[in-house]
Amino acid sequence: MNRYTELKRRQREEFGAFPMQFAFSQRQFEEGMAALGLKPTDTDKIYKAPGGGFYRREDGPRIKAMMDRFDQELQAAIAGDETGDGFIYEMFLSELDNHEYGYTRDTEETLDALGYTAEEILGDPRLKWGIEKAVTEICKRESKNE
């Protein structure tokens, strides 16, 4: 089991259970407001989120705390990998696969998704080793498929 993938899955499930609605039409907005226990005119009682999302203002501290905890969990898992052979490798392998490294041979989207610069990767031996190991694994896998 890939520990990074499992962490992201668990966080995605928790985020999905948060009382947030999404609307791309007036009807969906009205239905979403009702699901939150609000009237469509109660726009002063909601915060907007990217991608058409919205949630109750009173839930703002909860979503902030959840997102902060998600980041802390990720950072703790990275910090706990002393060599780059464990969680860090699994993180890079998962994100490189997710951003089609096997096809593009480009790490830029992966680094962007993880919030790293190339300089940060090169400056941390654990991160450097983890991404090198993941790239090697994907290249070996791709050469077997040719």
Side-chain angles (χ1 to χ4, degrees):
M1 164 75 52
N2 182 312
R3 289 166 283 192
Y4 173 79
T5 302
E6 179 58 27
L7 173 71
K8 296 308 269 185
R9 182 201 58 75
R10 184 184 52 72
Q11 290 178 345
R12 191 172 40 254
E13 284 179 5
E14 185 176 342
F15 184 80
F18 187 82
M20 182 182 297
Q21 298 294 311
F22 291 85
F24 305 100
S25 69
Q26 184 61 33
R27 192 182 110 237
Q28 289 176 335
F29 177 73
E30 291 169 3
E31 290 170 354
M33 290 293 279
L36 293 175
L38 301 170
K39 295 178 283 187
T41 56
D42 288 337
T43 56
D44 61 325
K45 295 179 181 174
I46 61 170
Y47 282 129
K48 293 180 182 177
F54 58 97
Y55 56 94
R56 291 182 299 255
R57 282 183 182 264
E58 67 189 46
D59 291 332
R62 284 184 43 224
I63 195 169
K64 181 181 180 334
M66 179 176 63
M67 300 309 288
D68 288 348
R69 182 173 43 79
F70 286 175
D71 186 54
Q72 291 167 0
E73 290 170 352
L74 177 62
Q75 295 310 314
I78 292 168
D81 184 352
E82 296 178 5
T83 64
D85 280 316
F87 186 87
I88 292 170
Y89 160 72
E90 293 169 359
M91 172 182 74
F92 282 122
L93 185 64
S94 178
E95 290 296 340
L96 287 166
D97 278 339
N98 191 40
H99 292 94
E100 300 182 347
Y101 176 82
Y103 174 73
T104 67
R105 297 294 198 255
D106 185 356
T107 61
E108 187 174 347
E109 288 184 13
T110 295
L111 297 184
D112 286 346
L114 291 170
Y116 286 113
T117 65
E119 293 77 23
E120 289 172 314
I121 300 298
L122 295 173
D124 184 326
R126 300 167 315 125
L127 297 175
K128 185 175 182 286
W129 172 245
I131 197 168
E132 287 173 355
K133 184 176 176 182
V135 162
T136 300
E137 173 62 29
I138 292 170
C139 290
K140 281 196 305 192
R141 195 184 325 142
E142 292 296 316
S143 68
K144 287 181 183 178
N145 292 334
E146 292 177 352

